[in-house]
């Protein structure tokens, strides 16, 4: 039997580098808004369905500008 070490598991940063959209969530935009964010400037329109950075999505949801949704 082999014993695994911590080095055998990929670090969180390596996961983010492999897939930079890992922390993006789908949201439905409820109001028109322009946002300058760390990754780019966002020009969001009412009824847009977009994937946003989790931190930005949380801010917009808490302010009633967007609603978290699920895409199947």
């Amino acid at each position: 039997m082999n014993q695994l070490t911590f080095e055998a598991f990929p670090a969180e940063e390596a996961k983010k580098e492999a897939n930079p959209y890992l922390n993006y969530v789908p949201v439905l935009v409820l109001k028109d808004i322009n946002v300058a964010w760390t990754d780019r400037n966002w020009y969001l329109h009412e009824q847009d369905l977009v994937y946003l950075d989790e931190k930005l999505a949380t801010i917009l949801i808490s302010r009633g500008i967007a609603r978290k949704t699920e895409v199947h």
Side-chain angles (χ1 to χ4, degrees), residues 19-59:
N19 186 358
Y21 300 106
L22 188 62
N23 292 330
Y24 278 56
V25 294
V27 296
L28 175 67
V29 179
L30 304 174
K31 300 177 184 176
D32 293 344
I33 186 171
N34 297 333
V35 179
W37 195 244
T38 57
D39 60 347
R40 60 179 277 195
N41 293 335
W42 291 91
Y43 304 96
L44 304 171
H45 302 281
E46 186 177 349
Q47 299 299 315
D48 280 352
L49 180 61
V50 295
Y51 283 83
L52 296 176
D53 177 69
E54 191 172 31
K55 291 179 184 178
L56 176 58
T58 302
I59 292 169

